mmCIF file of all heavy atoms in Angstrom:
data_model
loop_
_atom_site.group_PDB
_atom_site.id
_atom_site.type_symbol
_atom_site.label_atom_id
_atom_site.label_comp_id
_atom_site.label_asym_id
_atom_site.label_seq_id
_atom_site.Cartn_x
_atom_site.Cartn_y
_atom_site.Cartn_z
ATOM 1 N N CYS A 1242 172.447 -10.861 371.311
ATOM 2 C CA CYS A 1242 173.016 -9.644 370.745
ATOM 3 C C CYS A 1242 174.534 -9.712 370.881
ATOM 4 O O CYS A 1242 175.048 -10.162 371.916
ATOM 5 C CB CYS A 1242 172.469 -8.439 371.507
ATOM 6 S SG CYS A 1242 173.193 -6.860 371.061
ATOM 7 N N ALA A 1243 175.232 -9.281 369.855
ATOM 8 C CA ALA A 1243 176.688 -9.313 369.866
ATOM 9 C C ALA A 1243 177.250 -7.961 369.449
ATOM 10 O O ALA A 1243 176.693 -7.291 368.569
ATOM 11 C CB ALA A 1243 177.189 -10.405 368.921
ATOM 12 N N VAL A 1244 178.356 -7.596 370.081
ATOM 13 C CA VAL A 1244 179.005 -6.308 369.842
ATOM 14 C C VAL A 1244 180.425 -6.551 369.341
ATOM 15 O O VAL A 1244 181.193 -7.292 369.960
ATOM 16 C CB VAL A 1244 179.067 -5.463 371.129
ATOM 17 C CG1 VAL A 1244 179.744 -4.126 370.856
ATOM 18 C CG2 VAL A 1244 177.682 -5.263 371.704
ATOM 19 N N ARG A 1245 180.765 -5.904 368.256
ATOM 20 C CA ARG A 1245 182.134 -5.940 367.751
ATOM 21 C C ARG A 1245 182.778 -4.604 368.089
ATOM 22 O O ARG A 1245 182.546 -3.608 367.386
ATOM 23 C CB ARG A 1245 182.172 -6.192 366.250
ATOM 24 C CG ARG A 1245 183.586 -6.197 365.678
ATOM 25 C CD ARG A 1245 183.571 -6.389 364.167
ATOM 26 N NE ARG A 1245 184.890 -6.152 363.597
ATOM 27 C CZ ARG A 1245 185.788 -7.103 363.420
ATOM 28 N NH1 ARG A 1245 185.522 -8.362 363.727
ATOM 29 N NH2 ARG A 1245 186.960 -6.795 362.906
ATOM 30 N N GLU A 1246 183.566 -4.562 369.148
ATOM 31 C CA GLU A 1246 184.165 -3.302 369.584
ATOM 32 C C GLU A 1246 185.463 -3.016 368.839
ATOM 33 O O GLU A 1246 185.851 -1.868 368.675
ATOM 34 C CB GLU A 1246 184.425 -3.322 371.086
ATOM 35 C CG GLU A 1246 184.816 -1.969 371.660
ATOM 36 C CD GLU A 1246 185.047 -2.021 373.152
ATOM 37 O OE1 GLU A 1246 185.713 -2.967 373.611
ATOM 38 O OE2 GLU A 1246 184.547 -1.112 373.861
ATOM 39 N N ARG A 1247 186.162 -4.059 368.397
ATOM 40 C CA ARG A 1247 187.401 -3.837 367.639
ATOM 41 C C ARG A 1247 187.052 -3.180 366.314
ATOM 42 O O ARG A 1247 185.887 -3.040 365.944
ATOM 43 C CB ARG A 1247 188.120 -5.182 367.423
ATOM 44 C CG ARG A 1247 187.457 -6.091 366.410
ATOM 45 C CD ARG A 1247 188.049 -7.470 366.374
ATOM 46 N NE ARG A 1247 187.277 -8.388 367.174
ATOM 47 C CZ ARG A 1247 187.152 -9.680 366.904
ATOM 48 N NH1 ARG A 1247 187.793 -10.190 365.865
ATOM 49 N NH2 ARG A 1247 186.430 -10.466 367.681
ATOM 50 N N TYR A 1248 188.055 -2.791 365.582
ATOM 51 C CA TYR A 1248 187.853 -2.044 364.355
ATOM 52 C C TYR A 1248 186.793 -2.683 363.455
ATOM 53 O O TYR A 1248 186.822 -3.888 363.192
ATOM 54 C CB TYR A 1248 189.166 -1.935 363.583
ATOM 55 C CG TYR A 1248 189.009 -1.330 362.212
ATOM 56 C CD1 TYR A 1248 188.759 0.028 362.063
ATOM 57 C CD2 TYR A 1248 189.074 -2.123 361.066
ATOM 58 C CE1 TYR A 1248 188.586 0.588 360.809
ATOM 59 C CE2 TYR A 1248 188.898 -1.580 359.813
ATOM 60 C CZ TYR A 1248 188.663 -0.224 359.687
ATOM 61 O OH TYR A 1248 188.490 0.315 358.441
ATOM 62 N N SER A 1249 185.858 -1.851 363.011
ATOM 63 C CA SER A 1249 184.807 -2.310 362.096
ATOM 64 C C SER A 1249 184.909 -1.492 360.828
ATOM 65 O O SER A 1249 184.831 -0.263 360.868
ATOM 66 C CB SER A 1249 183.424 -2.134 362.731
ATOM 67 O OG SER A 1249 183.281 -2.945 363.860
ATOM 68 N N SER A 1250 185.057 -2.155 359.710
ATOM 69 C CA SER A 1250 185.325 -1.464 358.454
ATOM 70 C C SER A 1250 184.077 -1.051 357.708
ATOM 71 O O SER A 1250 184.180 -0.502 356.624
ATOM 72 C CB SER A 1250 186.154 -2.387 357.554
ATOM 73 O OG SER A 1250 185.387 -3.534 357.228
ATOM 74 N N GLY A 1251 182.910 -1.315 358.295
ATOM 75 C CA GLY A 1251 181.687 -1.063 357.553
ATOM 76 C C GLY A 1251 181.140 -2.332 356.948
ATOM 77 O O GLY A 1251 180.068 -2.338 356.355
ATOM 78 N N THR A 1252 181.897 -3.418 357.143
ATOM 79 C CA THR A 1252 181.464 -4.729 356.687
ATOM 80 C C THR A 1252 180.467 -5.314 357.677
ATOM 81 O O THR A 1252 180.475 -4.957 358.849
ATOM 82 C CB THR A 1252 182.690 -5.656 356.600
ATOM 83 O OG1 THR A 1252 183.651 -5.065 355.743
ATOM 84 C CG2 THR A 1252 182.313 -7.032 356.092
ATOM 85 N N ILE A 1253 179.652 -6.212 357.200
ATOM 86 C CA ILE A 1253 178.784 -6.966 358.091
ATOM 87 C C ILE A 1253 179.526 -8.230 358.502
ATOM 88 O O ILE A 1253 180.035 -8.963 357.653
ATOM 89 C CB ILE A 1253 177.458 -7.356 357.399
ATOM 90 C CG1 ILE A 1253 176.711 -6.096 356.982
ATOM 91 C CG2 ILE A 1253 176.602 -8.222 358.325
ATOM 92 C CD1 ILE A 1253 176.337 -5.189 358.121
ATOM 93 N N TYR A 1254 179.575 -8.483 359.796
ATOM 94 C CA TYR A 1254 180.307 -9.624 360.334
ATOM 95 C C TYR A 1254 179.319 -10.705 360.722
ATOM 96 O O TYR A 1254 178.410 -10.469 361.504
ATOM 97 C CB TYR A 1254 181.142 -9.177 361.523
ATOM 98 C CG TYR A 1254 182.154 -8.125 361.141
ATOM 99 C CD1 TYR A 1254 181.848 -6.775 361.232
ATOM 100 C CD2 TYR A 1254 183.405 -8.492 360.665
ATOM 101 C CE1 TYR A 1254 182.768 -5.819 360.859
ATOM 102 C CE2 TYR A 1254 184.335 -7.538 360.296
ATOM 103 C CZ TYR A 1254 184.009 -6.194 360.386
ATOM 104 O OH TYR A 1254 184.918 -5.259 360.016
ATOM 105 N N SER A 1255 179.490 -11.888 360.177
ATOM 106 C CA SER A 1255 178.499 -12.956 360.378
ATOM 107 C C SER A 1255 179.042 -14.165 361.130
ATOM 108 O O SER A 1255 178.312 -15.137 361.331
ATOM 109 C CB SER A 1255 177.948 -13.417 359.024
ATOM 110 O OG SER A 1255 178.993 -13.903 358.206
ATOM 111 N N GLU A 1256 180.289 -14.106 361.568
ATOM 112 C CA GLU A 1256 180.858 -15.213 362.332
ATOM 113 C C GLU A 1256 180.892 -14.844 363.810
ATOM 114 O O GLU A 1256 181.158 -13.696 364.165
ATOM 115 C CB GLU A 1256 182.275 -15.521 361.853
ATOM 116 C CG GLU A 1256 182.368 -15.943 360.402
ATOM 117 C CD GLU A 1256 181.692 -17.261 360.147
ATOM 118 O OE1 GLU A 1256 181.690 -18.121 361.056
ATOM 119 O OE2 GLU A 1256 181.157 -17.454 359.038
ATOM 120 N N GLN A 1257 180.663 -15.822 364.661
ATOM 121 C CA GLN A 1257 180.686 -15.555 366.093
ATOM 122 C C GLN A 1257 182.032 -14.999 366.538
ATOM 123 O O GLN A 1257 182.084 -14.104 367.400
ATOM 124 C CB GLN A 1257 180.377 -16.839 366.866
ATOM 125 C CG GLN A 1257 178.961 -17.349 366.651
ATOM 126 C CD GLN A 1257 178.668 -18.578 367.480
ATOM 127 O OE1 GLN A 1257 178.736 -18.548 368.701
ATOM 128 N NE2 GLN A 1257 178.329 -19.678 366.800
ATOM 129 N N SER A 1258 183.096 -15.462 365.942
ATOM 130 C CA SER A 1258 184.434 -15.021 366.327
ATOM 131 C C SER A 1258 184.716 -13.571 365.944
ATOM 132 O O SER A 1258 185.705 -12.993 366.385
ATOM 133 C CB SER A 1258 185.484 -15.935 365.690
ATOM 134 O OG SER A 1258 185.362 -15.927 364.275
ATOM 135 N N ASP A 1259 183.840 -12.989 365.147
ATOM 136 C CA ASP A 1259 183.998 -11.582 364.764
ATOM 137 C C ASP A 1259 183.583 -10.620 365.874
ATOM 138 O O ASP A 1259 183.841 -9.428 365.772
ATOM 139 C CB ASP A 1259 183.148 -11.273 363.523
ATOM 140 C CG ASP A 1259 183.661 -11.961 362.272
ATOM 141 O OD1 ASP A 1259 184.887 -12.165 362.149
ATOM 142 O OD2 ASP A 1259 182.820 -12.306 361.404
ATOM 143 N N TYR A 1260 182.923 -11.143 366.873
ATOM 144 C CA TYR A 1260 182.344 -10.296 367.922
ATOM 145 C C TYR A 1260 183.074 -10.438 369.247
ATOM 146 O O TYR A 1260 183.626 -11.479 369.560
ATOM 147 C CB TYR A 1260 180.858 -10.616 368.079
ATOM 148 C CG TYR A 1260 180.068 -10.177 366.868
ATOM 149 C CD1 TYR A 1260 179.931 -11.012 365.765
ATOM 150 C CD2 TYR A 1260 179.502 -8.909 366.804
ATOM 151 C CE1 TYR A 1260 179.243 -10.602 364.630
ATOM 152 C CE2 TYR A 1260 178.809 -8.489 365.682
ATOM 153 C CZ TYR A 1260 178.688 -9.345 364.599
ATOM 154 O OH TYR A 1260 178.011 -8.919 363.480
ATOM 155 N N ASP A 1261 183.057 -9.337 370.006
ATOM 156 C CA ASP A 1261 183.826 -9.269 371.243
ATOM 157 C C ASP A 1261 182.997 -9.468 372.507
ATOM 158 O O ASP A 1261 183.498 -9.941 373.513
ATOM 159 C CB ASP A 1261 184.528 -7.899 371.331
ATOM 160 C CG ASP A 1261 185.409 -7.641 370.122
ATOM 161 O OD1 ASP A 1261 186.315 -8.465 369.873
ATOM 162 O OD2 ASP A 1261 185.184 -6.635 369.415
ATOM 163 N N TYR A 1262 181.744 -9.058 372.475
ATOM 164 C CA TYR A 1262 180.890 -9.136 373.653
ATOM 165 C C TYR A 1262 179.533 -9.704 373.269
ATOM 166 O O TYR A 1262 179.012 -9.426 372.182
ATOM 167 C CB TYR A 1262 180.703 -7.740 374.280
ATOM 168 C CG TYR A 1262 181.992 -7.093 374.695
ATOM 169 C CD1 TYR A 1262 182.559 -6.090 373.911
ATOM 170 C CD2 TYR A 1262 182.655 -7.476 375.868
ATOM 171 C CE1 TYR A 1262 183.750 -5.490 374.276
ATOM 172 C CE2 TYR A 1262 183.847 -6.878 376.237
ATOM 173 C CZ TYR A 1262 184.385 -5.893 375.445
ATOM 174 O OH TYR A 1262 185.562 -5.306 375.812
ATOM 175 N N TRP A 1263 178.964 -10.441 374.205
ATOM 176 C CA TRP A 1263 177.677 -11.101 373.983
ATOM 177 C C TRP A 1263 176.733 -10.839 375.135
ATOM 178 O O TRP A 1263 177.144 -10.773 376.291
ATOM 179 C CB TRP A 1263 177.883 -12.610 373.850
ATOM 180 C CG TRP A 1263 178.637 -12.974 372.614
ATOM 181 C CD1 TRP A 1263 179.996 -12.953 372.439
ATOM 182 C CD2 TRP A 1263 178.086 -13.401 371.380
ATOM 183 N NE1 TRP A 1263 180.319 -13.339 371.161
ATOM 184 C CE2 TRP A 1263 179.155 -13.626 370.485
ATOM 185 C CE3 TRP A 1263 176.787 -13.624 370.923
ATOM 186 C CZ2 TRP A 1263 178.969 -14.058 369.176
ATOM 187 C CZ3 TRP A 1263 176.598 -14.065 369.615
ATOM 188 C CH2 TRP A 1263 177.680 -14.279 368.758
ATOM 189 N N GLY A 1264 175.445 -10.726 374.789
ATOM 190 C CA GLY A 1264 174.426 -10.641 375.816
ATOM 191 C C GLY A 1264 174.067 -12.013 376.358
ATOM 192 O O GLY A 1264 174.580 -13.030 375.880
ATOM 193 N N GLN A 1265 173.186 -12.033 377.339
ATOM 194 C CA GLN A 1265 172.778 -13.287 377.970
ATOM 195 C C GLN A 1265 171.732 -14.036 377.143
ATOM 196 O O GLN A 1265 171.500 -15.217 377.377
ATOM 197 C CB GLN A 1265 172.217 -12.997 379.365
ATOM 198 C CG GLN A 1265 173.247 -12.453 380.334
ATOM 199 C CD GLN A 1265 174.349 -13.450 380.593
ATOM 200 O OE1 GLN A 1265 174.098 -14.606 380.911
ATOM 201 N NE2 GLN A 1265 175.593 -13.014 380.453
ATOM 202 N N GLY A 1266 171.111 -13.334 376.223
ATOM 203 C CA GLY A 1266 170.110 -13.963 375.369
ATOM 204 C C GLY A 1266 168.695 -13.733 375.858
ATOM 205 O O GLY A 1266 168.453 -13.530 377.049
ATOM 206 N N THR A 1267 167.775 -13.758 374.917
ATOM 207 C CA THR A 1267 166.358 -13.632 375.235
ATOM 208 C C THR A 1267 165.601 -14.698 374.443
ATOM 209 O O THR A 1267 165.859 -14.907 373.257
ATOM 210 C CB THR A 1267 165.833 -12.212 374.926
ATOM 211 O OG1 THR A 1267 164.482 -12.090 375.357
ATOM 212 C CG2 THR A 1267 165.915 -11.881 373.447
#
């Protein structure tokens, strides 16, 4: 799971670099 906390324009972000925080994975 990834969270984009910086400004989000309503676009869908599909690159890893678009996200700020990551979970540990399941």
Side-chain angles (χ1 to χ4, degrees):
C1242 174
V1244 180
R1245 178 183 170 91
E1246 190 179 45
R1247 73 189 97 149
Y1248 173 73
S1249 296
S1250 64
T1252 303
I1253 299 299
Y1254 299 92
S1255 60
E1256 299 294 328
Q1257 294 183 60
S1258 59
D1259 292 328
Y1260 292 87
D1261 303 302
Y1262 301 103
W1263 293 82
Q1265 294 297 309
T1267 185

